[in-house]
Amino acid sequence: MTTHSPRVFSGMQPTGNLTLGNYLGALVNFVALQEREEFERLYCVVDLHAITTAQEPAALARATREVAAAYIASGLDPKRSIIFNQSRVSAHAELGWIFTCVARMGWLNRMTQFKEKAGKHKENASVGLFSYPTLMAADILAYRATHVPVGEDQKQHLELTRDIAAKFNNDFNVPDFFPLPEPLIQPDTARIMSLRDGKNKMSKSDPSDMSRINLTDDADLIAQKIRKAKTDPEPLPSEPDGLAERPEAQNLIGIFAALSGVSVTEVLAEYGGQGFGAFKPALADLTVAKIAPIGDEMRRLMETPDEIDAVLADGAERAAALARPILREIYDTLGLIGGGSA
Ligand code: AMP
Ligand code: TRP
């Protein structure tokens, strides 16, 4: 059995403002992996995934640069990590098609994210929205990536990626051709919840802007959103057990712990017994201190889009060089004579 060299791949969609959920659930992890020398790292802005729902072209182009700016502003170094946008490397679309022929209708029918996103209008959803996870599998496996840092909501898509990899290896009798990639999910920050309802995920698509902290919110707006965050009337507990059945309190304490790099137990040791009146100002100060500088840096970068474009172009070239020989092998394995442009 060959062993695949450790390679990290992850992506984010350029479909609106990135939130504190994207930051704590994924970006912090992307940056932490930079310190792990054993990994090669690719971080993609998945613009082809964005068009599974309608996008205004100018807004899509801007959002693509903005996600790249968020990557850089959060601490990703374009020299140490490959940063690029998906549509620039044709291997994604090519392998995506091949995987739509490997994945089974039944597998995709079980995907909860499609059901959520398509809602009541399933018949009107794009075919791309339905087959979205096959393109995600292509993103990862075009590089034979072994590790994928994501939030909890992507776990099912990663399982599908593994199923596709295993079926391909098996159907074409090429054992270990693709690795079975592992999700890297940080349990404490895997699901950051809405500030208006502790039972719903914080999401860039929530109609209420008060439900989320956007990475581009300024200090005043961040503080205001934390001040107005939904809570309950009880004082904070002294132990984590006391947070059960208190989703809003649990979420705010979890955010504090993640942003300050200490455990929930330690946060409660300090704030247990106090009301939200004492805790919220401390959380607001901390969130402003950590997030506002990222927004400032993103704005600075967005003023020089040429610099961002240069990072994306360079990243795409390096990514394509990694994907090209793998794709060549895939076409050969399938009997597709001379296939592929990448
Ligand atoms: P998306 O914005 O859907 O492209 O998501 C990009 C990444 O952020 C994925 O790894 C998601 O799992 C992660 N993510 C999005 N929202 C949250 C959240 N509220 N809590 C934790 N992770 C999240
Ligand atoms: N589906 C992911 C999301 O919505 C984005 C994504 C696309 C991705 N391709 C990926 C994440 C590959 C990790 C690896 O968040």
Side-chain angles (χ1 to χ4, degrees):
M1 188 165 141
T2 55
T3 44
H4 297 280
S5 54
R7 200 172 268 178
V8 165
F9 185 98
S10 196
M12 286 193 183
Q13 295 191 72
T15 45
N17 289 322
L18 292 185
T19 71
L20 183 65
N22 295 124
Y23 179 71
L24 290 176
L27 272 170
V28 167
N29 227 344
F30 294 5
V31 176
L33 283 160
Q34 238 174 207
E35 304 309 320
R36 303 265 303 269
E37 290 298 330
E38 69 271 31
F39 286 115
E40 196 162 11
R41 289 161 297 270
L42 297 105
Y43 295 117
C44 189
V45 185
V46 292
D47 48 5
L48 293 174
H49 275 109
I51 62 165
T52 56
T53 57
Q55 304 297 331
E56 201 274 301
L60 176 62
R62 183 186 159 80
T64 299
R65 293 189 177 103
E66 200 167 80
V67 174
Y71 284 178
I72 298 166
S74 300
L76 288 182
D77 172 356
K79 291 201 184 67
R80 287 199 284 162
S81 300
I82 296 177
I83 296 173
F84 70 109
N85 59 311
Q86 188 186 27
S87 60
R88 257 181 144 116
V89 179
S90 60
H92 296 253
E94 293 176 44
L95 187 55
W97 170 255
I98 291 171
F99 284 168
T100 58
C101 303
V102 174
R104 306 289 92 185
M105 291 291 286
W107 299 358
L108 288 167
N109 266 327
R110 286 195 285 277
M111 295 294 115
T112 52
Q113 188 166 301
F114 174 75
K115 288 178 200 163
E116 278 162 28
K117 285 200 181 174
K120 292 190 202 82
H121 311 288
K122 213 167 117 214
E123 293 302 314
N124 236 342
S126 73
V127 178
L129 189 67
F130 182 70
S131 68
Y132 176 114
T134 61
L135 179 60
M136 178 161 160
D139 297 340
I140 297 165
L141 295 171
Y143 304 95
R144 292 193 166 120
T146 53
H147 294 82
V148 185
V150 281
E152 177 78 25
D153 60 354
Q154 296 302 311
K155 205 172 156 194
Q156 194 183 36
H157 290 160
L158 253 293
E159 280 158 15
L160 188 94
T161 300
R162 293 164 64 92
D163 289 343
I164 289 176
K167 185 166 164 52
F168 185 101
N169 292 350
N170 185 61
D171 284 358
F172 298 103
N173 198 19
V174 281
D176 211 34
F177 185 93
F178 287 123
L180 305 187
E182 299 278 348
L184 296 175
I185 298 175
Q186 289 297 326
D188 296 340
T189 51
R191 252 171 94 77
I192 302 296
M193 309 311 277
S194 156
L195 300 178
R196 307 304 303 165
D197 175 357
K199 292 194 191 67
N200 275 334
K201 196 181 77 160
M202 182 181 288
S203 162
K204 51 190 169 192
S205 54
D206 192 309
S208 163
D209 193 59
M210 293 303 281
S211 71
R212 62 178 162 262
I213 309 277
N214 304 302
L215 294 185
T216 47
D217 287 347
D218 65 22
D220 286 347
L221 189 54
I222 294 173
Q224 189 196 356
K225 286 177 174 177
I226 302 271
R227 246 190 342 265
K228 296 204 168 153
K230 187 176 167 202
T231 50
D232 58 39
E234 304 295 321
L236 288 164
S238 304
E239 306 284 335
D241 284 356
L243 291 170
E245 315 293 323
R246 296 180 65 184
E248 284 83 16
Q250 184 164 33
N251 188 41
L252 296 182
I253 295 286
I255 291 172
F256 191 102
L259 285 175
S260 57
V262 305
S263 68
V264 166
T265 307
E266 286 169 278
V267 179
L268 292 178
E270 188 174 349
Y271 290 97
Q274 303 190 44
F276 286 97
F279 174 71
K280 274 184 167 178
L283 178 60
D285 286 349
L286 175 64
T287 312
V288 167
K290 294 282 179 183
I291 300 301
I294 296 176
D296 290 342
E297 179 63 5
M298 284 171 69
R299 273 183 288 275
R300 196 192 65 75
L301 290 163
M302 288 297 284
E303 280 166 20
T304 49
D306 290 355
E307 268 175 58
I308 300 177
D309 289 3
V311 166
L312 294 174
D314 174 63
E317 221 172 275
R318 286 149 69 200
L322 294 175
R324 203 172 290 126
I326 299 173
L327 215 62
R328 179 81 275 124
E329 273 186 70
I330 294 169
Y331 281 116
D332 288 346
T333 301
L334 289 168
L336 296 165
I337 302 160
S341 68

